[in-house]
Amino acid sequence: MTRKSTVLGKEAVVAMLRELLHEAQFGALNCMVLRVFRSDGGWEDLVLGGTQEEQAKAQALWRDTSEPGFPVVRMTLSAPASAAALATGKAAELLAEAIEAAHRSKPNVTVWIEVTQPDMPPFVAEALDRLAGRGAGIVVTHATPDAMHCSHPPGGQLPPELQERLAKASRAGAVWHPLAQEPVPGIGI
């Protein structure tokens, strides 16, 4: 499967890396996988942090999450953002910029926002508000102790207010459903 890098300006990349470093230093970031593209045309996948088991799981999730024609960019939110990032709106801004960059990177791309922490972070809704009218292919899943909630069936539905915000940011065309492992109709309006 071919995936393309997300291209951000130098300042945005440095800001994003600083935020990730901050999250790692204060325990909010446990493990991540990055694809680093070199100026010589080569690339490598880096698995950072976590136990060997977490690294293996992260690497496995990084691969094989879509099929040709429906590339998937997975963004997992597994720990609360720092209070500083929430107070400044930086978390919502970074998430919106990452979704927008992924949306522009390749036709039919689906951005999978996977929330694995108990509560849906408020900055997710704020990021979706920033993307209203963009027509991005977005699927949101939220794994709680009680159920799997999802923006698209199967799975229990997300809260209606979040679903409405997602519809305003999403496209109506098909998206790749990471849980059903098939294309499903978009919910965009």
Side-chain angles (χ1 to χ4, degrees):
M1 166 180 28
T2 302
R3 294 191 186 181
K4 292 187 178 179
S5 67
T6 299
V7 180
L8 300 174
K10 183 178 178 181
E11 288 180 24
V13 169
V14 170
M16 184 178 291
L17 290 172
R18 282 189 179 131
E19 180 65 23
L20 289 171
L21 177 61
H22 180 267
E23 296 292 327
Q25 288 173 325
F26 293 97
L29 177 66
N30 186 39
C31 182
M32 68 179 170
V33 180
L34 296 172
R35 178 158 289 165
V36 178
F37 292 86
R38 306 281 180 198
S39 59
D40 66 2
W43 57 269
E44 63 182 306
D45 290 338
L46 302 175
V47 183
L48 308 169
T51 64
Q52 286 184 340
E53 183 178 302
E54 290 168 330
Q55 290 176 350
K57 182 180 177 184
Q59 221 169 8
L61 293 173
W62 178 252
R63 299 183 197 114
D64 302 326
T65 58
S66 64
E67 71 173 27
F70 284 95
V72 173
V73 174
R74 184 178 194 162
M75 299 179 183
T76 302
L77 307 176
S78 60
S82 69
L86 292 175
T88 62
K90 196 66 174 171
E93 180 184 338
L94 288 172
L95 181 59
E97 286 177 1
I99 293 169
E100 178 68 22
H103 167 64
R104 290 190 319 260
S105 71
K106 192 169 192 172
N108 291 329
V109 70
T110 297
V111 178
W112 175 15
I113 302 171
E114 177 189 37
V115 180
T116 60
Q117 53 188 309
D119 297 316
M120 179 66 70
F123 70 84
V124 172
E126 295 168 26
L128 294 173
D129 288 345
R130 291 171 184 246
L131 296 167
R134 298 278 170 50
I138 305 170
V139 173
V140 179
T141 60
H142 183 204
T144 67
D146 300 325
M148 173 61 78
H149 303 280
C150 189
S151 56
H152 300 68
Q157 288 293 302
L158 296 170
E161 54 280 355
L162 183 64
Q163 198 76 11
E164 289 173 23
R165 289 168 147 173
L166 178 60
K168 291 177 183 175
S170 296
R171 68 173 177 248
V175 295
W176 182 258
H177 196 299
L179 303 178
Q181 289 292 297
E182 63 184 5
V184 296
I187 62 168
I189 53 173

